[in-house]
Amino acid sequence: MTRDDSGDADSASDDDPRDPTTVTDGGNTAAGADDVALDPWGSSTVSDYRKLFEEFGIETFDDVLDEVPNPHYLMRRGVIFGHRDYRPVARALREGEDAAVLSGFMPTGDPHIGHKLVFDEIIWHQQEGADAYALIADLEAHSARGLSWDEIDEHARDYLLSLLALGFDPEDGELYRQSTNREVQDLAFELGSNARFAEFEGIYGFDGETSVSHMQSVVTQMADILYPQLEEPKPTVIPVGPDQDPHMRLARDVAARMRYFKVTEAYASFEADAAERDHLAAAYAALEDDLDTVRCEDAADWLEAEMAPDAVRDTVIEKLRAAGKEPLRPRVRFLDRNATDEAFDALIDAVPGEKRRYDEHIDAFDMDREAAEELAREVEVDHGGYGFLPPSSIYHRFMTGLTGGKMSSSVPASHISLLDDPEDGYDKVKSATTGGRETAEKQRELGGEADECPVYELYAYLLSGDDDEFATEVYEECVGGERLCGGCKEQAAELMREFLEEHQEKRDEMAEVLDDLDIDLDSDRRGVPGSGH
Ligand code: TRP
Ligand code: SF4
């Protein structure tokens, strides 16, 4: 079936205001918002997290926090700061229904304490009852980052060992590499039929120099993200850094394009967008009590009399006049997007109560939207479709480098690798920059700047673990001038050493567990790595 919906107004992106020019700096386009560049393969910097909310439609995590059962400390402390559509996942966890969590790691270097955030997020969701998946993005590392298969094998092993050491349960969850997961590859191929090069240009800044394998790694990531729903649709969360958000928006779009039906609300036989529907709803609500039958022309009269003229109002009035005497009645509408004839017929049979069949859609008068969504998905799955729910995401803050600036895998002093010798970890913390004042005297007088301090971040993101009281104590002592950086760093450095010692012991114990899992870490693939274009 060929459909041209690349600029699709009725895709899942209803809630995703997309402006491709600001999505990425793409290396060569002037983004016009260079303090918020979301580039999955570039150096993403986020100096102002609020912009992510305004420009990209990410919502603040605080808004959903009290819907989450036993929130993880990274959620409680605002390290996980944002989300896209997390509510269905929170609800499933609360109610003990099916949910899934998945994230992926490019094996480009050692796993470090920034990756630990994501490991912890996956493990927490697993412990709260979600099906858990973690994958090694080896195709992406090879094609987009230029790593050889030998390097990839070695790093892949290290990521997996750390994930297991931190508590991932492999009996109950799934670990895979992109390159050996046949189902993921098949799904990627399918999804690729509904993704276009022009979108890749807009979203990622791809151009004529971009390698085909790099593009393939993108559809592979789309497939990763939807993989947990292959057996059956379920709320799925993808914990990532905000640099991955362009992938999330594309995945949500592509998932919607695969659907057989799209469910919307309507008031009459004509189509109306969300803003127009608000007007129709207002007119209907105002008239329904007084009139036995509210007709389109009545609603047009009402809008003309009661609402200030603007473009939306005028369009609605025009549509209502054209419909004339047709009754105005709220209904849910099933639009045929990709349904087979059998699926369309089956849906008509399955709709309860009063219904009307049109060429390309079905109107149901006795169902609410949620029930309609569920029914559409059920019929789709029964007739060979995927029925994907739009995948959700949560976003964590990037850690500040120990030397100030960005934490970067390529600058050893800026980060602490999970494989660092515990003594080196100790030393790195001891020589980290702080948010302290020039002199002890000033520090006592003014207090330290914990909010600007990479050492405080270590406490909040890692060293305090679940102990909120301890994290708060460090913060308050610091800003209150009772804590001086020397002692504070000493304490942090010791905790870091202990953490690394323990973590590495557990890694050693997990070697055997990993060997027993069916993951090929000695691949016999050959080839020349991509140059990153
Ligand atoms: N692109 C991700 C990165 O750069 C890795 C990745 C591949 C991924 N597939 C994924 C992340 C699926 C989340 C979900 O690190
Ligand atoms: Fe940072 Fe500790 Fe110094 Fe405060 S006292 S600025 S938290 S190192």
Side-chain angles (χ1 to χ4, degrees), residues 104-270:
F105 304 92
M106 260 215 275
T108 51
D110 288 352
H112 61 59
I113 54 177
H115 299 113
K116 177 181 181 287
L117 302 179
V118 184
F119 295 153
D120 286 345
E121 292 176 73
I122 296 174
I123 293 162
W124 177 84
H125 280 91
Q126 182 174 44
Q127 288 165 353
E128 291 298 317
D131 297 342
Y133 300 79
L135 65 103
I136 299 297
D138 56 355
L139 295 180
E140 185 181 359
H142 189 66
S143 65
R145 283 287 175 80
L147 269 84
S148 73
W149 290 108
D150 282 347
E151 292 170 305
I152 288 171
D153 282 349
E154 183 193 326
H155 294 144
R157 189 181 166 76
D158 282 329
Y159 276 83
L160 295 173
L161 280 177
S162 279
L163 183 58
L164 293 167
L166 290 167
F168 184 91
D169 177 358
E171 303 287 304
D172 207 36
E174 185 176 338
L175 303 171
Y176 70 88
R177 321 173 46 134
Q178 288 176 325
S179 62
T180 54
N181 190 326
R182 176 70 213 208
E183 284 178 302
V184 163
Q185 289 308 311
D186 288 348
L187 180 55
F189 181 80
E190 247 6 273
L191 300 174
S193 303
N194 278 295
R196 309 200 193 307
F197 179 63
E199 283 179 294
F200 285 16
E201 286 181 295
I203 298 171
Y204 305 113
F206 283 4
D207 60 23
E209 294 301 307
T210 307
S211 80
V212 174
S213 296
H214 190 176
M215 290 188 245
Q216 194 184 336
S217 81
V218 173
V219 286
T220 302
Q221 178 155 354
M222 300 303 110
D224 291 329
I225 290 171
L226 295 169
Y227 177 61
Q229 300 195 58
L230 260 192
E231 237 160 71
E232 97 189 289
K234 56 174 76 75
T236 301
V237 61
I238 315 295
V240 278
D243 59 313
Q244 298 292 304
D245 186 54
H247 290 309
M248 287 310 305
R249 277 175 286 152
L250 180 60
R252 289 169 63 83
D253 265 11
V254 170
R257 286 178 211 158
M258 306 295 285
R259 296 299 311 278
Y260 281 15
F261 305 101
K262 177 178 168 68
V263 177
T264 64
E265 281 157 295
Y267 284 83
S269 56
F270 56 79

Side-chain angles (χ1 to χ4, degrees), residues 180-387:
T180 54
N181 190 326
R182 176 70 213 208
E183 284 178 302
V184 163
Q185 289 308 311
D186 288 348
L187 180 55
F189 181 80
E190 247 6 273
L191 300 174
S193 303
N194 278 295
R196 309 200 193 307
F197 179 63
E199 283 179 294
F200 285 16
E201 286 181 295
I203 298 171
Y204 305 113
F206 283 4
D207 60 23
E209 294 301 307
T210 307
S211 80
V212 174
S213 296
H214 190 176
M215 290 188 245
Q216 194 184 336
S217 81
V218 173
V219 286
T220 302
Q221 178 155 354
M222 300 303 110
D224 291 329
I225 290 171
L226 295 169
Y227 177 61
Q229 300 195 58
L230 260 192
E231 237 160 71
E232 97 189 289
K234 56 174 76 75
T236 301
V237 61
I238 315 295
V240 278
D243 59 313
Q244 298 292 304
D245 186 54
H247 290 309
M248 287 310 305
R249 277 175 286 152
L250 180 60
R252 289 169 63 83
D253 265 11
V254 170
R257 286 178 211 158
M258 306 295 285
R259 296 299 311 278
Y260 281 15
F261 305 101
K262 177 178 168 68
V263 177
T264 64
E265 281 157 295
Y267 284 83
S269 56
F270 56 79
E271 293 297 324
D273 67 21
E276 294 166 358
R277 280 202 303 271
D278 286 345
H279 284 61
L280 292 166
Y284 182 79
L287 298 171
E288 69 170 324
D289 286 343
D290 297 339
L291 300 175
D292 280 344
T293 305
V294 182
R295 297 190 190 275
C296 287
E297 57 191 19
D298 305 325
D301 292 343
W302 185 86
L303 285 171
E304 226 152 42
E306 302 294 331
M307 287 192 100
D310 67 24
V312 177
R313 187 202 77 153
D314 296 347
T315 319
V316 176
I317 290 174
E318 210 174 288
K319 289 181 181 180
L320 287 165
R321 294 264 176 243
K325 296 228 174 304
E326 185 190 331
L328 192 70
R329 276 177 70 193
R331 65 198 74 183
V332 289
R333 174 163 295 164
F334 300 88
L335 294 160
D336 181 359
R337 307 199 68 190
N338 297 296
T340 57
D341 292 344
E342 294 78 48
F344 196 73
D345 290 343
L347 180 63
I348 292 163
D349 288 345
V351 169
E354 192 184 340
K355 51 194 151 184
R356 196 158 300 162
R357 170 186 192 149
Y358 299 81
D359 257 5
E360 299 274 315
H361 69 259
I362 300 163
D363 282 357
F365 295 89
D366 300 320
M367 283 187 101
D368 65 24
R369 174 127 184 207
E370 205 177 320
E373 295 274 7
E374 219 166 282
L375 182 65
R377 181 165 285 111
E378 229 173 78
V379 170
E380 177 179 341
V381 171
D382 283 349
H383 289 80
Y386 295 111

